[in-house]
Amino acid sequence: MWGCKGSNQDRPRYPGATVRTPKSTVQTPKGTVQTHREAPSPADIKRWRQYLADERAEAAVYRELAQRRDGEEREILLSLAEAEGRHEAHWLRLLGEQAGMPRAASTRSRMLGFLARHFGSVFVLALAQRAESRSPYATDPAATRAMAADEQIHEEVVRGLATRGRNRLSGSFRAAVFGANDGLVSNLSLVMGMAATGVPTTVVLFSGVAGLLAGALSMGAGEYVSVRSQLELLKATRPTQVTLSAAPSLDIEHNELVLVYLARGMSHEAAEHRAAERMGVYSCDCDPSLSLHPEEDQAPDEHEAVGSAWGAALSSFCFFASGAIVPILPFIFGLGGFAALVTAGTLVGVALLGTGAVVGLLSGTSPLTRGLRQLAIGLGAAAATYGLGLLFGTVVG
């Protein structure tokens, strides 16, 4: 259940239990106290109907996501949808004839449904993780203990699925966020610092363009060198096939083939077994538990694991440039002076809030907190550079 809020009542057991509504006491003529259950209030019915709508929407989100997955992930998502269906049945039992016509789900649930239908990305799972953590069932007595526990478990299940997606895009996401954020902050700082010295607007603009090109080229070149170096390191550490060609000529009593496998991390027993296989003592892999797969099957393609050096360079160039162009947009469109600086700061602030929010969403934390952190860091750097520009301009003047 995602993020609805309601009033509290006593909680029943689940499944199949009836809600424990507030009890009132009545004094009978004989002086005995008798209790009876009150009918659910209009507010209760309204809240339960909202829960019902949201459960249906959440189940639909998980089914939409399952259509874009296969294997184990698909089964997990379908199981989550089935669990939401059990919660839906609980609210239908409580509402009975008062369920009425289906009502609209909450804005959050509708947004997740839209994203799941059109994108089906890790962003949806990250949002669903936060939504599951805000379930009101733990404090709403109309829900059961089992339902509240379900929602807690659902959060962990979705967290696990989201983590898989985060791991798959961690490298490219890091490059994108780092490049764009660096472009935003560094070029805004450059523009603010130059403007504070009192130079003409055209100088500020050309300084910003120069900063964009210099920074983007530097980022691209640095990423190329970084990835290329990593690929070369992987190539140097990948086992060669020399054991296949050299093994037949080795002295079976005195050879270093065992040392090769020991150096690769095998146990002494497994290394001796593999060496004997390579030298033809065994015609087959008689004890697979003591062996590794043939060397050619051990290492994955390093290009798949790390990516292309040119691809990394180009993406870093583009991400930095996309961020660095934002602070000079006001100058490109003819603004100057203080108005241009305020506009540039505003545009960069919005962009920093956006990148921070995306980081927060993917990390399962508060988008607002992460956005404000990015904003404080970026504008703080720009303000410091502006102050230094004022000081430098005063000294030079």
Side-chain angles (χ1 to χ4, degrees):
M1 182 60 204
W2 296 345
C4 293
K5 294 183 179 179
S7 60
N8 294 338
Q9 300 175 13
D10 294 336
R11 184 188 300 157
R13 296 187 178 274
Y14 175 83
T18 57
V19 63
R20 292 191 297 179
T21 53
K23 298 178 180 179
S24 62
T25 60
V26 178
Q27 191 74 23
T28 64
K30 296 184 178 180
T32 60
V33 177
Q34 177 180 333
T35 63
H36 70 276
R37 298 184 186 276
E38 295 178 351
S41 67
D44 292 332
I45 294 172
K46 180 180 178 181
R47 189 176 73 257
W48 297 349
R49 291 185 64 202
Q50 188 63 62
Y51 288 163
L52 176 63
D54 286 339
E55 292 291 2
R56 288 170 172 168
E58 291 153 20
V61 167
Y62 289 132
R63 284 192 291 268
E64 289 284 351
L65 291 174
Q67 292 180 4
R68 298 172 179 266
R69 302 293 198 279
D70 52 25
E72 184 182 49
E73 290 191 14
R74 175 182 173 84
E75 295 303 319
I76 292 172
L77 288 165
L78 290 176
S79 295
L80 288 174
E82 182 181 352
E84 302 295 358
R86 293 195 300 270
H87 297 175
E88 174 190 344
H90 171 79
W91 300 118
L92 283 173
R93 283 195 299 271
L94 290 185
L95 287 165
E97 296 179 353
Q98 295 173 315
M101 295 292 293
R103 63 178 301 168
S106 65
T107 303
R108 180 189 297 272
S109 297
R110 293 200 301 272
M111 180 184 69
L112 283 175
F114 174 84
L115 293 174
R117 287 190 298 273
H118 294 87
F119 300 100
S121 69
V122 65
F123 289 94
V124 180
L125 288 172
L127 287 168
Q129 176 187 330
R130 283 184 54 79
E132 292 284 7
S133 68
R134 295 178 174 180
S135 170
Y137 287 171
T139 56
D140 193 322
T144 66
R145 291 182 178 88
M147 290 170 67
D150 281 349
E151 297 300 322
Q152 291 177 322
I153 295 301
H154 290 179
E155 179 188 358
E156 292 306 309
V157 173
V158 176
R159 186 194 304 275
L161 292 175
T163 298
R164 296 185 183 189
R166 291 178 184 119
N167 291 338
R168 286 193 289 264
L169 58 77
S170 58
S172 58
F173 177 70
R174 178 199 61 81
V177 171
F178 177 70
N181 192 75
D182 195 20
L184 287 165
V185 176
S186 63
N187 224 30
L188 177 64
S189 298
L190 175 62
V191 168
M192 297 285 280
M194 289 297 296
T197 63
V199 298
T201 300
T202 54
V203 175
V204 176
L205 173 59
F206 287 128
S207 298
V209 173
L212 184 156
L213 293 174
L217 288 170
S218 176
M219 285 285 292
E223 197 70 17
Y224 176 86
V225 171
S226 174
V227 173
R228 187 67 184 176
S229 299
Q230 188 173 356
L231 290 173
E232 291 170 351
L233 286 173
L234 286 173
K235 183 178 180 180
T237 56
R238 181 175 181 177
T240 67
Q241 302 305 305
V242 68
T243 56
L244 296 175
S245 58
S249 303
L250 293 173
D251 185 344
I252 194 169
E253 298 295 334
H254 302 91
N255 72 79
E256 286 76 37
L257 192 54
V258 172
L259 301 181
V260 172
Y261 297 116
L262 288 174
R264 292 180 185 175
M266 297 177 70
S267 67
H268 199 280
E269 183 182 12
E272 289 183 341
H273 187 89
R274 172 58 77 188
E277 292 172 5
R278 283 286 179 260
M279 298 179 69
V281 175
Y282 302 134
S283 60
C284 64
D285 191 352
C286 303
D287 188 354
S289 66
L290 297 177
S291 304
L292 297 176
H293 294 292
E295 284 85 344
E296 59 268 21
D297 296 331
Q298 287 181 26
D301 186 350
E302 61 267 21
H303 289 276
E304 292 182 5
V306 180
S308 163
W310 281 110
L314 181 61
S315 63
S316 293
F317 179 95
C318 293
F319 285 129
F320 183 95
S322 66
I325 197 173
V326 174
I328 62 176
L329 286 176
F331 299 93
I332 292 176
F333 287 99
L335 288 179
F338 186 72
L341 293 181
V342 171
T343 304
T346 302
L347 292 174
V348 170
V350 172
L352 290 172
L353 284 173
T355 58
V358 170
V359 172
L361 287 175
L362 286 179
S363 62
T365 55
S366 170
L368 179 60
T369 300
R370 292 294 181 270
L372 291 176
R373 184 182 68 179
Q374 296 283 90
L375 179 64
I377 293 173
L379 295 187
T385 310
Y386 184 78
L388 292 173
L390 286 175
L391 179 63
F392 183 76
T394 302
V395 172
V396 173

